[in-house]
Amino acid sequence: MKDYMINQVDVAYGDLKIIEQLTLEIPLGKITTIIGPNGCGKSTLLKAMGRIMKTQKGSIYLDGAEEVVSYGRYPYQKGLGKLKEEDKKIIDWALEVTKLASIRNHLVDNLSGGQRQRVWIALALAQQTDIILLDEPTTYLDMAYQLEVLELLEDLNREYGCTIVMVLHDLNLASRYADFLVALKQGEIICSGTPNEVITKETIRKVYDIDADIITDSRTNKPILVSYQLLNKKNSDKKRVAS
């Protein structure tokens, strides 16, 4: 199995260039999480990968040849015809996998935050794509719902081989659930690799300007941040003690 290749990509909002000559290989069949401070280009990169935003330069390819495009159940239908039996089976499967079958007739507005996130994931699965792109899927969810959503994604990856690429702000959740991490700052890749390779004091300093205490989680054997502070705060404290 080859990789999902992003080759020397430029992305901009009008004249404002957000990403420039970015090259990245995302492993297929794995969970990849993009981390970095606000405004660093995480969501822009994800949108470019999903063809929501056009790239000014460069290319994004799957399996070294096929250019990535958007798929959905609608494009498979002719005209405005009704769903076919095959479509219904796929939708039923997506609802079953995401544990939504029992509430399939409920209005989305009446669902909990975690259930709503599972609805969006079910929609992605119903498109029969092997790659799911998610922008901050745990935002505004409490701890239990965050774990519920991320464990669902982990199950989809492990059981069905779905490639998951998502943006997360919580570094401990990113470390826990990702196989591959990409750390961005100002549109550039500062570091990429396994959680143990990326979640380090040096990388956290470079990406967030934060001094962090990092230990290994006994449950996962992955790094977690247990304490941290801004570098300028630490330096000012040192000056105060010296004086």
Side-chain angles (χ1 to χ4, degrees):
M1 181 179 287
K2 296 183 180 179
D3 287 342
Y4 191 175
M5 185 69 191
I6 302 163
N7 186 37
Q8 295 185 325
V9 162
D10 287 6
V11 188
Y13 290 95
D15 295 330
L16 179 61
K17 189 164 288 187
I18 306 298
I19 292 172
E20 187 171 4
Q21 293 189 334
L22 186 145
T23 294
L24 174 67
E25 287 187 49
I26 292 178
L28 294 178
K30 302 291 183 182
I31 298 176
T32 293
T33 298
I34 305 169
I35 61 172
N38 289 339
C40 72
K42 301 185 300 296
S43 296
T44 299
L45 175 58
L46 201 70
K47 289 175 182 177
M49 291 173 63
R51 285 295 186 263
I52 295 172
M53 285 188 68
K54 292 183 178 180
T55 59
Q56 289 187 324
K57 294 181 181 178
S59 55
I60 301 176
Y61 289 96
L62 179 63
D63 285 346
E66 178 190 354
E67 189 166 1
V68 177
V69 295
S70 298
Y71 294 98
R73 295 252 51 82
Y74 181 78
Y76 295 120
Q77 301 175 49
K78 293 182 179 179
L80 297 176
K82 295 182 179 180
L83 290 173
K84 297 179 180 178
E85 194 61 34
E86 180 184 356
D87 297 315
K88 292 178 181 178
K89 288 181 180 178
I90 292 168
I91 291 169
D92 288 342
W93 170 78
L95 291 172
E96 192 67 37
V97 167
T98 53
K99 300 178 182 178
L100 292 169
S102 63
I103 56 173
R104 63 183 301 151
N105 294 320
H106 290 206
L107 294 174
V108 173
D109 287 345
N110 295 334
L111 301 179
S112 68
Q115 290 171 329
R116 290 185 189 187
Q117 292 291 33
R118 282 191 276 145
V119 168
W120 310 136
I121 294 168
L123 287 173
L125 289 175
Q127 295 172 3
Q128 281 192 297
T129 176
D130 295 327
I131 299 174
I132 299 176
L133 309 179
L134 297 163
D135 194 357
E136 300 182 36
T138 59
T139 298
Y140 305 124
L141 300 182
D142 64 33
M143 293 174 65
Y145 280 132
Q146 288 178 0
L147 293 176
E148 179 183 296
V149 168
L150 291 172
E151 287 179 3
L152 168 61
L153 294 174
E154 188 175 58
D155 288 343
L156 292 174
N157 171 257
R158 304 298 188 251
E159 294 181 24
Y160 299 99
C162 291
T163 299
I164 311 291
V165 184
M166 59 182 167
V167 169
L168 287 181
H169 276 294
D170 189 310
L171 297 185
N172 287 340
L173 290 178
S175 176
R176 177 172 177 173
Y177 287 96
D179 302 303
F180 188 76
L181 283 173
V182 180
L184 291 184
K185 185 174 185 179
Q186 296 179 342
E188 296 182 2
I189 297 174
I190 302 300
C191 185
S192 64
T194 66
N196 285 299
E197 292 170 333
V198 174
I199 304 298
T200 65
K201 288 180 71 71
E202 181 182 3
T203 299
I204 300 305
R205 280 173 176 262
K206 288 181 179 179
V207 175
Y208 295 97
D209 294 322
I210 281 177
D211 181 64
D213 293 327
I214 300 172
I215 65 171
T216 299
D217 186 345
S218 60
R219 286 188 177 90
T220 63
N221 290 320
K222 291 184 175 182
I224 58 172
L225 280 64
V226 292
S227 179
Y228 47 88
Q229 65 179 11
L230 292 170
L231 284 175
N232 57 10
K233 167 68 172 170
K234 181 180 180 181
N235 293 334
S236 65
D237 288 344
K238 284 183 178 179
K239 290 179 181 178
R240 205 174 296 125
V241 170
S243 62

